[in-house]
Amino acid sequence: MSDKAVITCALNGVLTDPKQHNVPVTPEQMAREAKAAFDAGASVMHIHLRQQAPGKGHLPSWEVAVSKEIQQAIREACPGVIINHTSGVSGPNYSGALDCIRETKPEIAACNAGSLNYLKVKADNNWAWPPMMFDNAVEKVKDYLDVMKAVGTIPEFECFDVGIVRCVGMYNQVGMYKGPLEYNFVMGVASGMPSDPELLPILIRLKRPEANFQVTAIGREEIWPLHQRCAELGGHLRTGLEDTFYLADGKKVTSNGQLIEAVAACARRAGREIASPAEARKIFGTNR
């Protein structure tokens, strides 16, 4: 267990529509939201890229130039901050994500460690969106890991289900990846692991003993007991407008900073201090 809790802010996500929700899109908006999160205690900024043309901010982008511009704006606003770059792409064409990691060399990048049927059912018993497969075959995972190794980026293994947690150990066992291990237990996706605090000790038991872990808790006010339990069990913490818009009292937030303040309070209630960017680098083993 680390005495210091590293806080990651997931600034904007890929599914949230800026026409409906107050998520940042442009480099200026990303930097402003990152600064609010940084000032509240976040040392790591997890970024997604959006198309920059007017009216297109709800669509993902994999333009290297967009990634570079957003990262530069965030780094200027938040001295010493750590960038955690998205990599999630469904389908066989993920060259853009590989290019962004290869060309920008972020300290950390998401590595989705297994496949998931990405489903949700509405109250009227119809699909919330057409059923889709978030495909992350072993060959795809290896491509990401090879690029990350080449540029010195640490993978954060995104685990959407219990079996995917176990897969990460196998990747390490067969030599697909050797280096600092970071697990991200993604909890709250309707077709994945529930945001249940009682599940967390099982996941911790299944990870590699030496590995760091954090929780991505997706949902509304029901996710906050999970954040608190994660802090108590020694995990690192993540929240942001990608994951939720709601505080524990049901209040809807307007900025990432409000969410980071709340998750930092979880750490302090567990008797833990908040890690600085320099301390986070030491904990995660990044040499940049």
Side-chain angles (χ1 to χ4, degrees):
M1 172 177 171
S2 171
D3 290 335
K4 298 286 182 78
V6 179
I7 298 180
T8 296
C9 182
L11 287 167
N12 59 348
V14 69
L15 297 175
T16 42
D17 188 341
K19 297 175 183 176
Q20 297 178 327
H21 303 288
N22 191 34
V23 294
V25 171
T26 68
E28 294 78 13
Q29 291 167 350
M30 293 286 280
R32 184 176 65 247
E33 280 294 300
K35 181 67 163 58
F38 189 76
D39 289 347
S43 293
V44 183
M45 302 298 160
H46 177 64
I47 63 169
H48 285 256
L49 312 175
R50 306 296 190 89
Q51 294 186 23
Q52 298 296 300
K56 299 292 185 181
H58 61 294
L59 298 173
S61 171
W62 292 106
E63 291 186 42
V64 171
V66 172
S67 180
K68 287 182 176 179
E69 191 173 355
I70 285 173
Q71 290 190 51
Q72 181 180 349
I74 291 173
R75 292 186 193 280
E76 289 176 357
C78 309
V81 75
I82 298 169
I83 297 294
N84 178 327
H85 204 292
T86 183
S87 70
V89 179
S90 295
N93 183 10
Y94 48 96
S95 60
L98 294 177
D99 288 344
C100 282
I101 295 167
R102 184 184 294 111
E103 297 299 324
T104 71
K105 302 178 178 60
E107 293 94 335
I108 301 172
C111 182
N112 296 283
S115 300
L116 180 77
N117 284 318
Y118 206 84
L119 311 174
K120 185 176 181 179
V121 177
K122 298 185 294 185
D124 62 4
N125 296 323
N126 289 308
W127 294 117
W129 53 74
M132 61 171 284
M133 167 65 77
F134 185 27
D135 57 308
N136 294 289
V138 172
E139 296 79 10
K140 187 174 183 179
V141 173
K142 186 176 186 302
D143 286 344
Y144 280 115
L145 292 175
D146 288 348
V147 168
M148 292 180 198
K149 179 181 179 181
V151 300
T153 294
I154 293 175
E156 179 187 86
F157 289 99
E158 315 294 305
C159 301
F160 296 85
D161 219 335
V162 174
I164 300 177
V165 176
R166 302 176 73 188
C167 287
V168 174
M170 297 183 201
Y171 300 152
N172 185 261
Q173 188 175 355
V174 302
M176 281 173 56
Y177 174 71
K178 297 291 185 182
L181 278 172
E182 315 289 342
Y183 288 74
N184 182 8
F185 303 138
V186 183
M187 305 173 73
V189 175
S191 53
M193 294 187 290
S195 54
D196 184 348
E198 294 185 11
L199 179 57
L200 195 49
I202 298 172
L203 300 176
I204 294 170
R205 190 167 71 244
L206 292 175
K207 75 175 182 66
R208 293 294 291 258
E210 73 277 15
N212 291 301
F213 75 93
Q214 71 174 13
V215 166
T216 290
I218 298 173
R220 293 186 174 229
E221 56 267 30
E222 77 278 359
I223 64 175
W224 288 96
L226 177 57
H227 284 306
Q228 187 63 53
R229 189 64 177 137
C230 179
E232 293 165 356
L233 292 174
H236 301 292
L237 302 169
R238 164 180 150 157
T239 191
L241 296 176
E242 176 176 358
D243 303 338
T244 189
F245 299 106
Y246 296 92
L247 298 172
D249 62 2
K251 179 183 177 182
K252 189 172 183 179
V253 302
T254 58
S255 171
N256 282 286
Q258 295 163 281
L259 293 169
I260 298 303
E261 288 175 0
V263 84
C266 291
R268 295 187 178 103
R269 283 194 295 270
R272 298 172 67 193
E273 297 180 10
I274 308 304
S276 69
E279 291 167 333
R281 282 183 164 81
K282 186 174 181 180
I283 291 167
F284 287 160
T286 178
N287 55 11
R288 286 191 274 119

